[in-house]
Short mmCIF file of all heavy atoms in Angstrom, two decimals:
data_model
loop_
_atom_site.label_atom_id
_atom_site.label_comp_id
_atom_site.label_asym_id
_atom_site.label_seq_id
_atom_site.Cartn_x
_atom_site.Cartn_y
_atom_site.Cartn_z
N GLY A 48 1.87 -11.19 7.01
CA GLY A 48 3.18 -10.71 7.47
C GLY A 48 4.01 -10.07 6.37
O GLY A 48 4.41 -8.91 6.47
N PRO A 49 4.29 -10.79 5.28
CA PRO A 49 5.06 -10.17 4.19
C PRO A 49 4.35 -8.97 3.56
O PRO A 49 5.02 -8.02 3.12
CB PRO A 49 5.21 -11.31 3.17
CG PRO A 49 5.08 -12.56 3.99
CD PRO A 49 4.09 -12.23 5.06
N ALA A 50 3.00 -9.01 3.50
CA ALA A 50 2.27 -7.86 2.92
C ALA A 50 2.48 -6.62 3.78
O ALA A 50 2.65 -5.51 3.24
CB ALA A 50 0.79 -8.20 2.81
N ILE A 51 2.47 -6.78 5.10
CA ILE A 51 2.73 -5.66 6.00
C ILE A 51 4.15 -5.13 5.79
O ILE A 51 4.38 -3.92 5.74
CB ILE A 51 2.52 -6.09 7.46
CG1 ILE A 51 1.04 -6.41 7.72
CG2 ILE A 51 2.99 -5.00 8.43
CD1 ILE A 51 0.77 -7.02 9.07
N VAL A 52 5.09 -6.05 5.65
CA VAL A 52 6.49 -5.66 5.43
C VAL A 52 6.63 -4.85 4.14
O VAL A 52 7.37 -3.86 4.09
CB VAL A 52 7.39 -6.91 5.40
CG1 VAL A 52 8.80 -6.54 4.94
CG2 VAL A 52 7.44 -7.56 6.77
N VAL A 53 5.90 -5.25 3.10
CA VAL A 53 5.97 -4.54 1.81
C VAL A 53 5.55 -3.09 1.98
O VAL A 53 6.25 -2.16 1.53
CB VAL A 53 5.07 -5.24 0.76
CG1 VAL A 53 4.91 -4.35 -0.46
CG2 VAL A 53 5.67 -6.57 0.36
N TYR A 54 4.41 -2.85 2.63
CA TYR A 54 3.92 -1.48 2.78
C TYR A 54 4.84 -0.66 3.70
O TYR A 54 5.06 0.53 3.45
CB TYR A 54 2.50 -1.49 3.32
CG TYR A 54 1.47 -1.88 2.29
CD1 TYR A 54 0.90 -3.14 2.29
CD2 TYR A 54 1.09 -0.99 1.28
CE1 TYR A 54 -0.02 -3.51 1.33
CE2 TYR A 54 0.17 -1.35 0.32
CZ TYR A 54 -0.39 -2.61 0.35
OH TYR A 54 -1.30 -2.97 -0.61
N LEU A 56 8.13 -1.09 4.19
CA LEU A 56 9.38 -0.79 3.50
C LEU A 56 9.20 0.24 2.40
O LEU A 56 10.05 1.10 2.18
CB LEU A 56 9.98 -2.08 2.93
CG LEU A 56 10.53 -3.07 3.96
CD1 LEU A 56 10.97 -4.35 3.29
CD2 LEU A 56 11.68 -2.46 4.75
N ASN A 57 8.07 0.15 1.67
CA ASN A 57 7.80 1.16 0.65
C ASN A 57 7.62 2.54 1.27
O ASN A 57 8.05 3.55 0.70
CB ASN A 57 6.57 0.77 -0.16
CG ASN A 57 6.82 -0.44 -1.04
OD1 ASN A 57 7.96 -0.84 -1.25
ND2 ASN A 57 5.76 -1.03 -1.55
N GLN A 180 0.85 -5.50 -7.22
CA GLN A 180 0.78 -5.99 -5.85
C GLN A 180 -0.50 -6.75 -5.59
O GLN A 180 -0.51 -7.83 -4.98
CB GLN A 180 0.91 -4.82 -4.87
CG GLN A 180 2.33 -4.34 -4.64
CD GLN A 180 2.41 -3.33 -3.53
OE1 GLN A 180 1.40 -2.88 -2.99
NE2 GLN A 180 3.61 -2.94 -3.17
N LEU A 183 -0.54 -10.14 -7.28
CA LEU A 183 0.23 -11.14 -6.56
C LEU A 183 -0.47 -11.58 -5.27
O LEU A 183 -0.51 -12.78 -4.96
CB LEU A 183 1.62 -10.58 -6.23
CG LEU A 183 2.53 -10.27 -7.42
CD1 LEU A 183 3.80 -9.57 -6.96
CD2 LEU A 183 2.87 -11.54 -8.19
N VAL A 188 0.85 -14.70 -3.20
CA VAL A 188 2.29 -14.57 -3.48
C VAL A 188 2.73 -13.21 -2.93
O VAL A 188 2.53 -12.18 -3.57
CB VAL A 188 2.58 -14.68 -4.98
CG1 VAL A 188 4.07 -14.54 -5.24
CG2 VAL A 188 2.06 -15.99 -5.54
N VAL A 189 3.29 -13.20 -1.74
CA VAL A 189 3.66 -11.94 -1.09
C VAL A 189 5.12 -11.90 -0.65
O VAL A 189 5.71 -10.82 -0.55
CB VAL A 189 2.74 -11.67 0.15
CG1 VAL A 189 1.34 -11.30 -0.30
CG2 VAL A 189 2.70 -12.89 1.06
N LEU A 190 5.71 -13.05 -0.39
CA LEU A 190 7.10 -13.07 0.07
C LEU A 190 8.07 -12.49 -0.96
O LEU A 190 8.98 -11.74 -0.59
CB LEU A 190 7.49 -14.49 0.46
CG LEU A 190 8.88 -14.65 1.10
CD1 LEU A 190 8.98 -13.79 2.35
CD2 LEU A 190 9.16 -16.12 1.42
N PRO A 191 7.93 -12.80 -2.26
CA PRO A 191 8.84 -12.18 -3.23
C PRO A 191 8.76 -10.66 -3.24
O PRO A 191 9.78 -9.98 -3.37
CB PRO A 191 8.37 -12.77 -4.57
CG PRO A 191 7.75 -14.07 -4.20
CD PRO A 191 7.08 -13.83 -2.89
N SER A 192 7.55 -10.11 -3.09
CA SER A 192 7.40 -8.65 -3.04
C SER A 192 8.11 -8.08 -1.83
O SER A 192 8.72 -7.00 -1.90
CB SER A 192 5.91 -8.27 -3.00
OG SER A 192 5.27 -8.63 -4.20
N ALA A 193 8.05 -8.79 -0.69
CA ALA A 193 8.74 -8.32 0.51
C ALA A 193 10.25 -8.32 0.30
O ALA A 193 10.95 -7.38 0.72
CB ALA A 193 8.36 -9.20 1.71
N CYS A 194 10.77 -9.35 -0.34
CA CYS A 194 12.21 -9.41 -0.61
C CYS A 194 12.64 -8.30 -1.56
O CYS A 194 13.70 -7.68 -1.37
CB CYS A 194 12.57 -10.77 -1.19
SG CYS A 194 12.30 -12.16 -0.06
N ILE A 195 11.82 -8.05 -2.58
CA ILE A 195 12.12 -6.98 -3.52
C ILE A 195 12.11 -5.62 -2.83
O ILE A 195 13.00 -4.78 -3.03
CB ILE A 195 11.11 -7.00 -4.69
CG1 ILE A 195 11.34 -8.23 -5.56
CG2 ILE A 195 11.22 -5.74 -5.53
CD1 ILE A 195 10.28 -8.45 -6.61
N SER A 196 11.11 -5.39 -1.97
CA SER A 196 11.02 -4.11 -1.25
C SER A 196 12.17 -3.92 -0.30
O SER A 196 12.69 -2.81 -0.16
CB SER A 196 9.69 -4.04 -0.50
OG SER A 196 8.59 -4.04 -1.38
N ALA A 197 12.60 -5.00 0.37
CA ALA A 197 13.73 -4.90 1.30
C ALA A 197 15.02 -4.55 0.56
O ALA A 197 15.80 -3.69 1.00
CB ALA A 197 13.88 -6.21 2.06
N THR A 198 15.23 -5.21 -0.56
CA THR A 198 16.43 -4.91 -1.35
C THR A 198 16.41 -3.48 -1.89
O THR A 198 17.42 -2.77 -1.85
CB THR A 198 16.54 -5.91 -2.52
OG1 THR A 198 16.52 -7.25 -2.01
CG2 THR A 198 17.81 -5.68 -3.31
N THR A 199 15.24 -3.07 -2.36
CA THR A 199 15.10 -1.72 -2.90
C THR A 199 15.32 -0.66 -1.83
O THR A 199 15.88 0.41 -2.11
CB THR A 199 13.72 -1.54 -3.55
OG1 THR A 199 13.52 -2.55 -4.54
CG2 THR A 199 13.59 -0.17 -4.19
N ALA A 200 14.85 -0.92 -0.62
CA ALA A 200 15.03 0.05 0.47
C ALA A 200 16.51 0.31 0.74
O ALA A 200 16.91 1.46 0.97
CB ALA A 200 14.34 -0.46 1.74
N GLN A 236 9.22 -6.75 -9.84
CA GLN A 236 8.01 -7.57 -9.68
C GLN A 236 7.51 -8.08 -11.03
O GLN A 236 7.07 -9.24 -11.13
CB GLN A 236 6.92 -6.75 -8.98
CG GLN A 236 7.20 -6.47 -7.53
CD GLN A 236 6.08 -5.73 -6.84
OE1 GLN A 236 5.63 -6.09 -5.75
NE2 GLN A 236 5.60 -4.67 -7.46
#
Side-chain angles (χ1 to χ4, degrees):
I51 293 172
V52 170
V53 168
Y54 285 104
L56 290 175
N57 291 346
Q180 280 188 354
L183 295 174
V188 180
V189 288
L190 186 58
S192 294
C194 295
I195 291 172
S196 296
T198 304
T199 304
Q236 290 183 132

